[in-house]
Amino acid sequence: GINTHIEGEGHDRTSIDLPGVQEQLIEAVMGANKNTVVVLINGGQLAIEWISTNVPAIVEALYPGEMGGDAVANVLFGKVSPSGRLPYTMYPANFVNRSFFNMDLRNESGCTYRYYTGDALYSFGHGMSYTTFDYKWSADLSTSQLSFDAGRVGRQEDAINYTVVVTNTGKVDSDVSVLGFITAQEQPDAPLKELFDFGRVHLAAGESATVHLTVGPSGLSLVDEYGVEAIRAGHYKIQVEDLSADLEITGEDHVIFSLPEMKERHAFLGRH
């Protein structure tokens, strides 16, 4: 992994590869024993192409704190089922071969899960478990298109609610995090998808629970090139794991925020 001597505020990396000979060490260990688990200790992304292709299991520990050793051991020895989700996209090593003076997230192949169009090693929200889960809408939203007026859903009290029934279909008790994404299908320069809500529950083997996800104004609004944030009429796609539902926003665009109009101002600086 890496540490705060390699990355940190005002201390950027020029490469997202594992530093030093760490990858060669992992290759040597794999040559001796294929039943190897790699535990990553890191804050920022790491390009681990060879590891992701050749190592049977990877635990992303991030910077786990003073109880991190106990937490990692509990996962490795099966006392706890892993249930975390990646907080960012993990890119290949050549991702950094671009100009970072252009801070447009759509620049080149894009940046972050919202705009990246390249092949990610692991996507934002990726995470595995020692058990399996089944997801179903509590109502048959996948076969019906919901329609709401932009002005109505612009009020938090009229936010749109989606209810998902999650079932632990395996043999191991585990937490599970349920992520809800939205895609604006007709808006120019809109993100490929955007997280609007999530829920986390603990399920014993065979147990089911209901998770409520809410799409409020912040999840529906888009900001245009003029700095106007608004909920815009059009068609949207809701995605929760392997479930999807159509959403239509109708009526006039509902403006949430706009930058103040800029006017020329002249100032005279002189002596009194």
Side-chain angles (χ1 to χ4, degrees), residues 186-209:
E186 300 164 345
Q187 305 298 333
D189 297 328
L192 301 172
K193 64 177 182 178
E194 191 159 14
L195 181 72
F196 66 82
D197 200 3
F198 70 93
R200 184 182 177 109
V201 293
H202 181 82
L203 295 174
E207 185 182 9
S208 297

Side-chain angles (χ1 to χ4, degrees), residues 80-155:
V80 174
S81 175
S83 56
R85 300 293 189 121
L86 268 182
Y88 44 53
T89 300
M90 294 189 74
Y91 305 104
N94 62 9
F95 174 77
V96 299
N97 299 336
R98 56 168 69 199
S99 171
F100 282 93
F101 292 104
N102 185 343
M103 299 307 294
D104 185 349
L105 295 181
R106 305 173 187 85
N107 182 34
E108 298 186 30
S109 59
C111 189
T112 79
Y113 79 97
R114 295 182 299 166
Y115 297 102
Y116 184 60
T117 58
D119 295 323
L121 298 182
Y122 298 99
S123 300
F124 168 83
H126 178 83
M128 302 182 71
S129 173
Y130 290 152
T131 187
T132 55
F133 298 97
D134 178 70
Y135 303 85
K136 293 181 179 178
W137 296 120
S138 62
D140 192 12
L141 298 176
S142 59
T143 58
S144 64
Q145 177 172 289
L146 299 180
S147 182
F148 295 89
D149 180 82
R152 175 186 172 188
V153 294
R155 301 186 297 267

Side-chain angles (χ1 to χ4, degrees), residues 45-257:
Q45 294 97 326
L46 289 171
I48 53 170
E49 283 108 319
W50 189 91
I51 296 172
S52 64
T53 302
N54 295 280
V55 176
I58 304 168
V59 174
E60 172 59 275
L62 300 171
Y63 290 143
E66 60 185 87
M67 296 301 293
D70 290 350
V72 170
N74 287 340
V75 169
L76 292 178
F77 291 102
K79 185 177 180 180
V80 174
S81 175
S83 56
R85 300 293 189 121
L86 268 182
Y88 44 53
T89 300
M90 294 189 74
Y91 305 104
N94 62 9
F95 174 77
V96 299
N97 299 336
R98 56 168 69 199
S99 171
F100 282 93
F101 292 104
N102 185 343
M103 299 307 294
D104 185 349
L105 295 181
R106 305 173 187 85
N107 182 34
E108 298 186 30
S109 59
C111 189
T112 79
Y113 79 97
R114 295 182 299 166
Y115 297 102
Y116 184 60
T117 58
D119 295 323
L121 298 182
Y122 298 99
S123 300
F124 168 83
H126 178 83
M128 302 182 71
S129 173
Y130 290 152
T131 187
T132 55
F133 298 97
D134 178 70
Y135 303 85
K136 293 181 179 178
W137 296 120
S138 62
D140 192 12
L141 298 176
S142 59
T143 58
S144 64
Q145 177 172 289
L146 299 180
S147 182
F148 295 89
D149 180 82
R152 175 186 172 188
V153 294
R155 301 186 297 267
Q156 184 63 43
E157 59 270 22
D158 291 320
I160 305 168
N161 296 302
Y162 289 88
T163 305
V164 180
V165 178
V166 188
T167 303
N168 183 342
T169 55
K171 299 179 179 179
V172 178
D173 298 353
S174 179
D175 282 11
V176 58
S177 296
V178 182
L179 310 184
F181 293 94
I182 187 169
T183 299
Q185 298 176 295
E186 300 164 345
Q187 305 298 333
D189 297 328
L192 301 172
K193 64 177 182 178
E194 191 159 14
L195 181 72
F196 66 82
D197 200 3
F198 70 93
R200 184 182 177 109
V201 293
H202 181 82
L203 295 174
E207 185 182 9
S208 297
T210 300
V211 177
H212 300 276
L213 303 176
T214 300
V215 190
S218 61
L220 286 166
S221 63
L222 297 168
V223 180
D224 65 16
E225 60 184 316
Y226 302 106
V228 177
E229 180 185 6
I231 297 175
R232 307 181 191 282
H235 292 89
Y236 297 76
K237 179 72 72 175
I238 301 296
Q239 192 80 32
V240 180
E241 299 300 326
D242 58 348
L243 304 176
S244 65
D246 293 321
L247 171 65
E248 182 183 26
I249 301 299
T250 61
E252 297 292 327
D253 292 351
H254 177 77
V255 176
I256 296 175
F257 173 82

